[in-house]
Amino acid sequence: MSLADRLAGAKYRYPDFYEVDREKIREYARAVKAVDPASLDLRAAADLGYDGLVAPLTYISIFGHMAISGFFEHCGVTVDDAQIVQVDQKLEFLQPIKEGDRLYCDIEVESIRRAHGTDIIMTKQVVTNHAGDIVQRTYTTLAGRAGEGDKGFTDGVA
């Protein structure tokens, strides 16, 4: 079965939630040199009307990687990160990610095609919080060789 046949129209809900933790927000903010005081200081976040720290915009990448890895595993596709290129990514931020949020992720394949021995897969991830509100939509396009030699996407037997 080809990768396109296996993944066309595939949908997946990551089976667990991701709980946003105060100290993880601070650690992440420091690691990426995010300087927004609302990500580091409770008083600054409160001044903006939040009851906890607000995560930097790229904080979702932690959970996003977990969810997309789970999706490919669920579909029986092994992904060799060293052989994959992220071609494009579009992010729609609808609500801030805040301390105490429980995040859920639904993933579906928007499109898949093959060009010049490369599989090109576009997925849509919808992240919701514990109240069911959409926090973010992400569209990610990945490309991986599918021909002889090193492969980015394989049938999971690797």
Side-chain angles (χ1 to χ4, degrees):
M1 176 184 294
S2 75
L3 189 64
D5 291 336
R6 182 179 304 174
L7 293 180
K11 295 181 180 187
Y12 173 76
R13 181 171 185 109
Y14 188 73
D16 201 358
F17 60 85
Y18 182 88
E19 190 154 1
V20 181
D21 177 80
R22 177 186 301 167
E23 291 310 313
K24 291 293 182 186
I25 291 173
R26 286 181 175 140
E27 288 172 10
Y28 185 85
R30 287 184 192 106
V32 300
K33 300 186 184 336
V35 296
D36 186 345
S39 295
L40 301 167
D41 181 61
L42 288 170
R43 187 170 296 136
D47 288 347
L48 295 173
Y50 298 108
D51 58 358
L53 297 181
V54 179
L57 292 176
T58 56
Y59 183 84
I60 196 64
S61 63
I62 298 166
F63 182 41
H65 189 270
M66 291 169 49
I68 200 77
S69 295
F71 166 73
F72 282 118
E73 184 178 325
H74 171 77
C75 293
V77 176
T78 299
V79 178
D80 181 350
D81 287 340
Q83 300 297 326
I84 299 293
V85 175
Q86 182 172 316
V87 177
D88 191 27
Q89 188 166 41
K90 176 183 174 187
L91 301 129
E92 296 175 351
F93 300 100
L94 303 168
Q95 292 191 34
I97 294 172
K98 303 177 302 296
E99 170 188 339
D101 279 350
R102 283 187 171 187
L103 303 177
Y104 301 86
C105 186
D106 293 289
I107 300 170
E108 65 182 273
V109 173
E110 287 282 295
S111 67
I112 183 167
R113 64 187 174 95
R114 175 171 265 195
H116 309 288
T118 301
D119 289 313
I120 303 166
I121 303 168
M122 182 210 253
T123 60
K124 173 177 140 182
Q125 294 84 239
V126 178
V127 178
T128 53
N129 62 21
H130 49 278
D133 301 320
I134 297 175
V135 174
Q136 179 178 345
R137 281 189 207 95
T138 304
Y139 300 86
T140 305
T141 304
L142 302 172
R145 298 296 288 172
E148 296 298 317
D150 294 330
K151 295 182 179 185
F153 302 106
T154 57
D155 64 8
V157 182

